Amino acid sequence: LTDRDELEALSPQRVQRVLQLAGLDEGPEEFAILERDLPRIIAAWRVLADAAGGVSDREPPENGCESTLAPDLAEPSLDPEIWTKNLPSQDPRGPWVPPNRGRG
Amino acid sequence: VRELTAMGVAELCRRRDAGEFGSEEILAAHRFRIETVDAELHAVAHHFREEGPAEGPLRGIPYLTKANIAVRGRPHDCGSRILAGYVAPFDATVTARLHQSGCSLVGSTNMDEFGMGSSTEHSCQGPTHNPADRSRTPGGSSGGSAAAVAAGMVPFALGTDTGGSVRQPAAHCGVYGLRPTWGRVSRYGLTTFASSMDQVGILARAAEDLPLIFSVIAGVDPRDATTRAPELTSRIARRFTAPRLAVDPSTLEIVDDEVGGAFEAFVRDLESAGVRIDSVSLPSCRVALECYLVLSSAEAASNLARFDGTLFGDRVTPAQSYEEMVRMSRSQGFGAEVKRRILSGVFASSAGEGAIHAERARALRRQIRLEHVEVLRECDALLLPTTPTAAPRLGEYEDDPCGAYEGDRLTTPASLAGLPAVAMPISRGPRGLPLSAQLVGRPDQDEALLDLAIALARMRSEEEPH
């Protein structure tokens, strides 16, 4: 992440979007957290960039699946593809079957 | 009374069976102890006074459970205002199993809200105090359970450990704390914080009580699809005549002099007692705390979405719309630390910059597990300090959440790797505060790890001056 990204992460539009997704009110405690704490918390995560060098592409996640992400906060997109691309019906591995079911 | 409340579970059962006292006396002595000391410590959130002794091998043995583990018909607030007045409609599997074994549940313990915190200050019930020094925190988030066990209110208590919430308070209060392998103990009835790491654990004064209680609560539960039974061979008890432990010297770079000095003295004592210590390196563990914060916050933001004022707990009214009711209920119901985790979790689980952090954290989590498994191929366990410092003062990190998170730096690697870990008291520092070391074991070999902890505890007690 660059400094610009970090600042952009907390622009007024993004603050409002984060609060909306979190289901929280625009109260003084929430703003204090967003303005004072969140930049420091996110900045601390930067150490992952160096540590992850050469690690992230090594192997796929252990369980072979990716999480479904919420839309990019910078662009509150309504593109339906974001919500449908990970649907089980489109998974080439076929429908998910719960463990311990259908075994006699 | 003092004699009974100083004993562990195994000793109480042995002497009860020998006819020295009955199960009613055990229960009465501990209830009296709670009445006497809890007013100062505030470890117990809800008292269950009418519970009598049940039938079973552990009849009369009292225990407390953390307030995020369900007990049918009892308050279940998870330390949160949003769940004030909520009563659990069913029993968690762990409390049901303890009841079947004869244990008597005498109450639930104070905790950081939804398990998010390391000091038991973030609770709607107010803070718990450390029995070793009332001006200090007992650690958290299972601080009420740790303080209660240390103060003799019960011989053992249940806690939950996501990033260290059993081991870290056990360390600060001078008791033993077990975080089992993820999947060995059912989490049915545990209100989730971060599902991929949450685990029910045990706090006890005597090392020998950990395998005893673990044998009661562990095992497959059809109500928790993540539970499993390991191969039988991994459950066979081992005799450690010459244990081989691994120490990563870089862990000592992040502890203060008090903890570092005690840990080095402990290692020297173990070496003199015949324990082989290998120096190893687990480089990815340096960023385990940051991985944990990214992943656990993302999971928390999702898991806590269910608390919206409609189904559970408190609802703020009147509101102009459904959305406003949800926002107001959550904003007034959650404390600051929970909001901090939800907000950072929303960021981490969103596409864009947040996803980059989450992607890196997921990759590093896998690497952390691989590094542990590699080291544990050769050694019986990894040995490291449990916490970077002794118990902090109450309010020490009130305006410094990142500083408070540092308390979990040494416990998060095992959580991310899903490995069993035991915190064990090793000494008291010059200020009289408990200091602790942590053993991390091979996956699913919880029984062997506990045998090792007991062996090391015995070595330690034989060396202490009588």
Side-chain angles (χ1 to χ4, degrees), chain B residues 37 48 75 92 103 115 196 226 234-235 240 257 260 284 290 303 307 316 342 362 364 377 390 397 403 409 431 437:
Chain B
V37 300
F48 305 161
C103 287
S196 75
T226 67
S234 73
R235 286 187 276 156
F240 288 96
D257 291 345
S284 296
E290 288 75 18
N303 278 329
F307 301 109
V316 172
I342 291 174
R362 277 202 300 272
L364 282 161
R377 221 186 290 279
Y397 293 109
R409 190 164 284 285
R431 296 172 294 173

Side-chain angles (χ1 to χ4, degrees), chain A residues 54-104:
Chain A
V55 170
S56 57
D57 297 330
R58 190 173 294 174
E59 288 177 80
E62 198 161 16
N63 59 6
C65 59
E66 299 286 344
S67 64
T68 303
L69 296 172
D72 188 343
L73 295 173
E75 299 168 24
S77 168
L78 295 176
D79 179 359
E81 194 187 339
I82 286 169
W83 301 104
T84 57
K85 67 180 177 184
N86 289 324
L87 285 176
S89 60
Q90 296 174 15
D91 190 328
R93 294 168 296 184
W96 181 76
V97 178
N100 304 322
R101 297 254 175 97
R103 293 183 189 168

Side-chain angles (χ1 to χ4, degrees), chain A residues 1 22 25 29-30 37 59, chain B residues 330-331 339-340 357 366:
Chain A
L1 290 180
D25 228 348
E29 189 170 64
E30 286 76 5
D37 300 335
E59 288 177 80
Chain B
R330 286 168 64 83
S331 275
K339 290 178 188 173
R340 227 171 260 133
H357 290 301
R366 182 181 170 81

Side-chain angles (χ1 to χ4, degrees), chain B residues 94-358:
Chain B
V94 286
T95 51
R97 287 180 176 173
L98 286 167
H99 184 76
Q100 284 160 10
S101 74
C103 287
S104 295
L105 183 58
V106 293
S108 61
T109 54
N110 198 16
M111 59 179 285
D112 285 306
E113 187 177 3
F114 289 108
M116 298 175 200
S118 309
S119 64
T120 318
E121 292 172 293
H122 306 287
S123 166
C124 67
Q125 306 261 355
T128 295
H129 300 257
N130 192 317
D133 179 343
R134 306 283 195 273
S135 70
R136 292 180 183 271
T137 82
S141 62
S142 309
S145 295
V149 171
M153 295 185 215
V154 282
F156 81 96
L158 294 181
T160 59
D161 188 313
T162 304
S165 285
V166 162
R167 292 162 285 156
Q168 189 252 28
H172 287 331
C173 292
V175 299
Y176 291 86
L178 167 68
R179 173 198 166 83
T181 301
W182 193 86
R184 290 294 308 274
V185 175
S186 169
R187 293 174 300 157
Y188 178 72
L190 159 65
T191 298
T192 55
F193 156 18
S195 316
S196 75
M197 286 174 270
D198 289 340
Q199 185 54 276
V200 175
I202 306 161
L203 298 107
R205 271 198 311 281
E208 64 177 344
D209 290 346
L210 293 177
L212 179 63
I213 302 304
F214 179 71
S215 70
V216 175
I217 64 171
V220 174
D221 177 10
R223 288 171 162 149
D224 178 353
T226 67
T227 54
R228 64 185 184 282
E231 296 293 321
L232 184 62
T233 49
S234 73
R235 286 187 276 156
I236 295 172
R238 293 183 56 186
R239 289 176 64 86
F240 288 96
T241 48
R244 187 172 167 187
L245 305 181
V247 173
D248 182 348
S250 72
T251 56
L252 292 177
E253 293 167 12
I254 52 172
V255 302
D256 69 7
D257 291 345
E258 187 179 18
V259 171
F263 183 77
E264 284 172 334
F266 181 57
V267 169
R268 279 196 301 274
D269 288 348
L270 293 179
E271 283 182 307
S272 338
V275 176
R276 177 173 161 180
I277 306 286
D278 288 356
S279 183
V280 298
S281 174
L282 295 97
S284 296
C285 289
R286 281 174 302 183
V287 294
L289 176 65
E290 288 75 18
C291 282
Y292 164 78
L293 288 169
V294 170
L295 298 174
S296 66
S297 299
E299 290 184 40
S302 172
N303 278 329
L304 269 60
R306 77 192 67 181
F307 301 109
D308 57 4
T310 55
L311 279 177
F312 310 103
D314 228 8
R315 175 183 304 172
V316 172
T317 51
Q320 299 299 313
S321 64
Y322 169 76
E323 288 78 10
E324 187 183 78
M325 182 278 290
V326 170
R327 285 198 310 271
M328 287 169 66
S329 297
R330 286 168 64 83
S331 275
Q332 292 180 35
F334 290 138
E337 183 55 37
V338 169
K339 290 178 188 173
R340 227 171 260 133
R341 308 278 182 126
I342 291 174
L343 288 167
S344 56
V346 163
F347 184 83
S349 57
S350 302
E353 293 95 340
I356 294 170
H357 290 301

